[in-house]
Amino acid sequence: MTETRFTPRVFSGIKPSGGLTLGNYLGAIKRFVAMQGGGFETIYCVVDLHAITVWQDPAGLRDATREVAAGYLAAGIDPARSILFNQSQVSQHAELGWIFNCVARVGWMNRMTQFKDKAGSNAEKVSLGLYAYPSLMAADILLYHATHVPVGEDQKQHVELTRDIAAKFNHDFGVEFFPLTTPVIEGPATRVMNLRDGTKKMSKSGESDMERINMTDDADTISKKLKKARTDPAPLPETLDELEGRPEARNLVGIYAALADMTPEAVIAEHAGAGWGTFKPLLADLAVEKLAPISTEMARLMADPGEIDRILGQGAEKARSIAEPILRQTYDIVGLLRS
Ligand code: AQP
């Protein structure tokens, strides 16, 4: 199926399962901002139904939902140019999610590495929602016939599963209704790693605050965390290839590159031979320069939750106007009677 009959449309989301991290910013939000006005309709979501796959304190969930919305807005998502809303206000996500639960195969879900990582040795005790999460994610994307999904590296497998669900639905019902969505995984920071262990992803819900930069951290905290980030004793090498096997060093170079809008190669070329005592303060200054204005703006926005709620409500209305006809057509294709 060619994708040309579908409106070029971007969908992506972030779960309010805690505060936003530098990983969310560089791997997702910064790239979402860049895609605004680039020939796509852009739809960005706070995926609160995904957050509750793990227990969330209700008041904390509301705060985190507003914080993610504030992060989007402070980083440059413009509600006049993009649709911005929280998932639970558009009930069509859950409805299409159920249909996709009936399309996706258990064997496909069993291959999802994120489920294995999150469930760990506790797989019998985690929620059914955590297991079914990728099929709701497919619904989030396909409810808008989204053609492109910018995500970090960790979500690649879920977008591939979204394509499998679309293809199986189209095949089972003999239609060409859902597009085969393209994952967009680009740039130097598609996988920002934990500052204390360069082999683990930087996550919102990681144990120690020192392992991540939060988008709400103030200048001193950002600077302190980066200066204390784990590294090895060797200086920066002459070529990127020489960072092989040095995950912490590779991570800091990637973060620098993404913040400075440079390639990692250019960062290495500029700083070859520098020790960490030189490079880390430069990185800390750069991070403060780029992130402090965003955290200041987030704090301003968070002081007026009513305004954030209003923006999300208006976005939800716009989202429903695209989602509803696509869901109704899906019901008709499946044979669900509508009076
Ligand atoms: N470390 C990261 N590097 C690059 N991209 C990242 N993303 C998340 N962490 C990194 C990208 O941000 C988008 C939203 O992800 P999410 O927060 O909805 O889900 P997640 O990937 O499960 O995030 P966390 O922080 O790991 O959440 P918890 O700890 O609650 O499970 C996605 O595009 C993701 O790729």
Side-chain angles (χ1 to χ4, degrees):
M1 188 194 341
T2 67
E3 301 309 309
T4 47
R5 73 185 185 83
F6 294 100
T7 306
R9 191 176 278 152
V10 164
F11 177 94
S12 203
I14 299 182
K15 247 178 351 178
S17 48
L20 290 168
T21 70
L22 181 66
N24 294 131
Y25 176 62
L26 295 177
I29 300 179
K30 187 169 190 276
R31 299 170 50 223
F32 298 173
V33 174
M35 289 183 104
Q36 279 186 139
F40 294 102
E41 270 180 38
T42 41
I43 305 179
Y44 297 123
C45 191
V46 186
V47 286
D48 46 7
L49 296 176
H50 287 284
I52 61 166
T53 53
V54 172
W55 193 84
Q56 304 290 334
D57 166 68
L61 178 61
R62 271 186 289 273
D63 284 348
T65 301
R66 292 187 180 116
E67 186 186 315
V68 173
Y72 275 126
L73 293 164
I77 297 298
D78 174 0
R81 293 199 291 157
S82 293
I83 298 178
L84 176 63
F85 69 106
N86 60 310
Q87 186 188 23
S88 60
Q89 293 210 68
V90 180
S91 62
Q92 289 81 358
H93 286 252
E95 292 179 69
L96 187 61
W98 177 257
I99 292 182
F100 286 169
N101 280 347
C102 302
V103 174
R105 306 289 93 182
V106 168
W108 300 357
M109 296 295 164
N110 286 341
R111 285 195 283 278
M112 295 297 110
T113 54
Q114 195 180 72
F115 177 77
K116 289 183 202 161
D117 291 347
K118 291 203 187 247
S121 55
N122 208 21
E124 292 284 314
K125 298 223 172 96
V126 297
S127 74
L128 183 56
L130 189 69
Y131 186 66
Y133 174 124
S135 117
L136 179 60
M137 178 165 157
D140 300 335
I141 296 166
L142 295 174
L143 187 56
Y144 302 95
H145 279 180
T147 54
H148 294 79
V149 182
V151 279
E153 185 63 43
D154 60 318
Q155 292 294 339
K156 184 168 182 234
Q157 197 185 27
H158 292 165
V159 184
E160 283 164 0
L161 184 102
T162 299
R163 293 168 65 92
D164 291 342
I165 290 178
K168 182 163 166 52
F169 181 97
N170 290 345
H171 175 267
D172 287 355
F173 294 100
V175 291
E176 292 205 345
F177 186 62
F178 288 117
L180 301 187
T181 307
T182 306
V184 185
I185 302 170
E186 286 170 354
T190 54
R191 192 168 172 81
V192 177
M193 308 309 274
N194 177 320
L195 297 178
R196 311 299 298 172
D197 177 350
T199 63
K200 291 192 188 144
K201 192 186 81 153
M202 183 183 288
S203 274
K204 297 188 205 81
S205 50
E207 269 163 38
S208 154
D209 198 55
M210 288 303 284
E211 69 189 42
R212 64 180 166 266
I213 308 268
N214 303 302
M215 278 180 75
T216 47
D217 283 344
D218 62 23
D220 284 351
T221 310
I222 295 172
S223 188
K224 185 176 85 191
K225 286 179 178 175
L226 283 169
K227 287 180 186 159
K228 291 202 163 179
R230 184 174 160 186
T231 39
D232 54 37
L236 284 176
E238 302 279 327
T239 66
L240 200 59
D241 288 348
E242 293 170 79
L243 284 178
E244 188 66 40
R246 298 177 61 189
E248 285 86 10
R250 180 75 185 77
N251 188 37
L252 295 187
V253 168
I255 292 174
Y256 190 106
L259 287 169
D261 289 315
M262 291 166 76
T263 61
E265 287 82 355
V267 175
I268 288 289
E270 208 172 291
H271 298 281
W276 296 108
T278 310
F279 186 75
K280 279 183 178 176
L282 291 173
L283 174 60
D285 288 349
L286 175 65
V288 167
E289 179 197 324
K290 301 285 179 179
L291 300 175
I294 299 177
S295 76
T296 306
E297 177 61 4
M298 279 177 77
R300 192 191 67 76
L301 290 162
M302 293 284 285
D304 186 359
E307 176 60 7
I308 295 178
D309 295 0
R310 192 190 61 76
I311 292 170
L312 292 175
Q314 281 187 344
E317 227 169 274
K318 291 188 210 160
R320 270 194 296 272
S321 72
I322 302 174
E324 180 60 16
I326 291 178
L327 183 71
R328 290 302 142 216
Q329 287 177 70
T330 310
Y331 275 27
D332 290 345
I333 291 168
V334 172
L336 299 170
L337 185 80
R338 291 193 287 128
S339 299

